[in-house]
Amino acid sequence: MAKPLLEVKNLKKFFTFQRGLVKRKTFYLRAVDDVTFDLEREKTLGVVGESGCGKTTLGKTIVGLYPPDSGSITLNPNGNPINTLNPNDEELKIIRKTVQMVFQDPQSSLNPRWPVRNIVGEPLEILKLVSGRKEKESKVIELLETVGLKPEHINRYPHEFSGGQRQRIGIARALASQPDLMVLDEPTSAVDVSVQAQVLNLLKDLQKEKKMAYLFISHDLGVVHHMADEIAVQYLGQIVEYGDSEKVFNNPMHPYTKALLSALPVADPEFEAHKKRIILTGTLPNAISPPPGCRFHTRCKELVDEKKCKSECPALKEVEKNHKVACWIYDR
Ligand SMILES: Nc1ncnc2c1ncn2[C@@H]1O[C@H](COP(=O)(O)OP(=O)(O)OP(=O)(O)O)[C@@H](O)[C@H]1O
Ligand SMILES: [Mg+2]
């Protein structure tokens, strides 16, 4: 069987802080803490979780913007696995072509002093995908049209666009290198609902046409349900539930996933009326000193074995085919 396009194993990314006036002490913020998953070609893995749980950090580490502290990230773009942690020059070029990211906030991720021509054209030039000005120009125009923008937009600057259009520019730039994998970080959080559907449908069409895999990051479960084949639920830097999208949505197992899903509106009014809402109490604990044991125990309403839940961290275990959960309820 062909290897998955992306293999992430035991990935950790900590941020360090110095605190204290007299005695400087180092603290670690565990933004991504022992994350393992695979992503197949042409599939979408949705990553969900509350603000601050480490979704963006995971995405940025995978595309190489942050060096990980430990673990491995392996890409298999063409039969030869590339460990992205210490690639040689040739491999680095392949990685840059293979993986691209569309950022959460298009306002701050696009250079405001550059016209669209440069923003979308830069990767074409760096990766030497075009020769000469003419070819670059026509390729940029082709990319703009692919994402539903117009050729005359080529000379405009980011501030002259709407939020949805800016997100399209980000997508066009990411598409320039014809990536196999796109990390999409909340690609529609900065736009209103009507535009959201357009951008999501564009992404779906592009995925089919260009045969790309997506790591789709969002805290909006409805959007993720629409987009993803598989789902990873992240809590304080760790994946607590992971599996086929339908399985996770129809049969959520982790108390955290159940709470997240119970807040989702359902189309069937009768079901909606009888649905039990699980209110998440308390705030997300600080990732600098996460609770011992299961990290969710401070907010969990289903503690099975209080002593164990508070002292031992459950591992992610397969409870049914393609459905894994990290919870002591299922691991006794
Ligand atoms: N460059 C950085 N330096 C230090 N800490 C950071 C940095 N980036 C993120 N963090 C911290 O790491 C944790 C995870 O942040 P991250 O941005 O990955 O969360 P997120 O899940 O993407 O949140 P959101 O849904 O709000 O975008 C947070 O506690 C955040 O404060
Ligand atoms: Mg984020």
Side-chain angles (χ1 to χ4, degrees), residues 5 13 17 23 49 57 69 88-89 94 110 115 120 126 159 164 176 181 183 188 191 205 210 223 243 265 301 308 319:
L5 177 66
K13 172 68 202 164
F17 292 94
K23 267 194 182 161
T57 308
D69 291 290
N88 59 37
D89 288 350
I94 300 175
L110 303 175
V120 179
I126 291 179
H159 73 267
L181 168 66
V183 174
T188 56
V191 299
D205 293 345
K210 318 251 178 222
V223 167
K301 301 204 171 56
K308 202 169 182 183
V319 279

Side-chain angles (χ1 to χ4, degrees), residues 194-254:
S194 59
V195 181
Q196 194 179 50
Q198 290 170 11
V199 175
L200 293 177
N201 288 335
L202 168 69
L203 287 169
K204 275 210 151 180
D205 293 345
L206 286 172
Q207 178 171 41
K208 233 188 253 154
E209 191 188 318
K210 318 251 178 222
K211 303 190 185 314
M212 291 179 286
Y214 286 166
L215 187 78
F216 188 92
I217 297 171
S218 180
H219 58 258
D220 185 333
L221 282 136
V223 167
V224 170
H225 194 194
H226 177 65
M227 297 296 289
D229 303 290
E230 288 186 305
I231 289 183
V233 181
Q234 200 171 350
Y235 188 79
L236 275 182
Q238 298 183 324
I239 292 180
V240 296
E241 184 155 357
Y242 170 47
D244 285 349
S245 170
E246 286 316 315
K247 287 188 176 157
V248 175
F249 270 91
N250 295 330
N251 182 23
M253 291 186 151
H254 197 283

Side-chain angles (χ1 to χ4, degrees), residues 2-9 36-47 58 62 73-77 98-100 180-184 207 212-217 227-232 242:
K3 287 204 155 222
L5 177 66
L6 170 71
E7 293 172 278
V8 175
K9 286 211 170 72
T36 297
F37 67 86
D38 291 345
L39 179 53
E40 304 279 346
R41 287 168 186 283
E42 299 177 44
K43 295 275 185 213
T44 298
L45 171 67
V47 179
L58 175 65
I62 286 170
I73 305 169
T74 312
L75 279 175
N76 300 294
T98 308
V99 198
Q100 288 294 324
D180 294 312
L181 168 66
M182 288 233 271
V183 174
L184 302 163
Q207 178 171 41
M212 291 179 286
Y214 286 166
L215 187 78
F216 188 92
I217 297 171
M227 297 296 289
D229 303 290
E230 288 186 305
I231 289 183
Y242 170 47

Side-chain angles (χ1 to χ4, degrees), residues 120-138:
V120 179
E122 187 192 46
L124 296 170
E125 236 167 77
I126 291 179
L127 295 166
K128 298 195 172 63
L129 299 172
V130 287
S131 51
R133 242 177 57 119
K134 266 242 148 74
E135 198 187 338
K136 181 177 141 191
E137 173 133 347
S138 64

Side-chain angles (χ1 to χ4, degrees), residues 71-89:
S72 68
I73 305 169
T74 312
L75 279 175
N76 300 294
N78 46 21
N80 298 326
I82 304 175
N83 183 337
T84 70
L85 304 192
N86 46 14
N88 59 37
D89 288 350

Side-chain angles (χ1 to χ4, degrees), residues 110-115 119 156-161 166 169:
L110 303 175
N111 188 335
R113 278 184 286 268
W114 274 5
I119 292 173
R156 288 216 213 148
Y157 290 81
H159 73 267
E160 299 174 73
F161 290 93
R166 264 197 293 269
I169 299 169

